[in-house]
């Protein structure tokens, strides 16, 4: 299973692709889509096209996107939400299922505590994927999102194997 993780941002959108085989995770690629300056529409187009290119080149099967947190500045939150929308559209246009995770969930899954610092996330991503160095903060967050999704998928598969359906309910 190839999983694309996305850390949306209006200036820099991080992406990372991992392969999950059972409980094993393998790094494939990561990087950033930079939208540059200019008007909002042009920046959103750059995010959409950049991620569409990544999806076309690597053919992930599922996508995990970090949810927007409510910022002190409502305008920043709205702009980030639009960047996130462009990222989700790139996945949906490609026909991919999209899962969403809060930053707290991602950090909990990767570091073990929800209020971990960016450096801790980078270090754990490096460790979990056996990378030679720390990925950029945006790419690390995207890879962490993909790892969070992989852990959730694996846990879900284990639970489903051990549960039975009875009269339409899990028992």
């Amino acid at each position: 299973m190839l999983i694309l993780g996305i850390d949306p941002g209006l200036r820099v959108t991080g992406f990372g692709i991992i392969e999950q085989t059972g409980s094993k995770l393998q790094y494939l690629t990561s990087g950033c889509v930079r939208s540059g300056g200019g008007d909002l529409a042009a920046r959103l187009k750059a995010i959409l096209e950049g991620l569409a290119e990544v999806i076309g080149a690597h053919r992930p099967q599922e996508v995990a996107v970090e949810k927007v947190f409510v910022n002190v500045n409502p305008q920043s939150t709205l702009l980030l939400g639009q960047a996130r929308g462009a990222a989700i559209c790139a996945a949906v246009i490609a026909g991919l299922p999209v899962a969403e995770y809060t930053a707290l969930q991602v950090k909990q899954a990767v570091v073990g505590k929800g209020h971990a610092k960016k450096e801790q996330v980078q270090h754990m991503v490096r460790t979990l994927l056996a990378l030679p160095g720390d990925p950029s903060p945006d790419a690390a967050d995207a890879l962490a999102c993909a790892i969070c999704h992989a852990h959730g998928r694996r846990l879900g598969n284990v639970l489903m194997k051990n549960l039975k359906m009875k009269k339409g309910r899990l028992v």
Side-chain angles (χ1 to χ4, degrees):
M1 173 66 62
L2 297 183
I3 302 168
L4 168 61
I6 300 173
D7 178 38
L10 192 55
R11 288 191 181 107
V12 180
T13 293
F15 69 87
I17 300 177
I18 62 171
E19 181 174 14
Q20 180 184 25
T21 308
S23 63
K24 184 180 176 199
L25 301 178
Q26 182 179 351
Y27 171 85
L28 294 183
T29 190
S30 64
C32 296
V33 174
R34 299 187 188 282
S35 62
D39 67 346
L40 179 62
R43 294 166 87 177
L44 295 175
K45 181 181 180 202
I47 293 167
L48 179 69
E49 290 177 343
L51 289 174
E53 187 177 313
V54 169
I55 290 168
H58 299 283
R59 302 282 183 214
Q61 294 150 304
E62 295 183 3
V63 177
V65 180
E66 191 170 303
K67 286 184 181 179
V68 174
F69 63 92
V70 178
N71 205 329
V72 175
N73 181 344
Q75 183 64 25
S76 295
T77 303
L78 287 171
L79 291 171
L80 181 57
Q82 291 174 327
R84 188 172 168 278
I88 290 171
C89 284
V92 171
I93 288 169
L96 299 173
V98 177
E100 301 174 54
Y101 300 94
T102 65
L104 197 71
Q105 289 172 311
V106 171
K107 290 175 182 180
Q108 180 70 42
V110 174
V111 179
K113 63 180 191 176
H115 297 289
K117 295 179 181 172
K118 278 204 175 278
E119 297 81 19
Q120 290 172 300
V121 173
Q122 281 178 291
H123 176 74
M124 285 306 298
V125 165
R126 176 183 180 180
T127 302
L128 290 170
L129 298 176
L131 301 175
D134 286 341
S136 72
D138 297 298
D141 286 350
L143 288 165
C145 200
I147 292 168
C148 176
H149 184 68
H151 289 325
R153 286 184 79 258
R154 185 166 174 262
L155 179 62
N157 289 340
V158 168
L159 287 174
M160 291 310 291
K161 285 180 185 175
N162 295 320
L163 295 175
K164 307 266 188 263
M165 291 290 282
K166 185 175 183 180
K167 296 183 182 179
R169 299 172 74 187
L170 290 174
V171 290

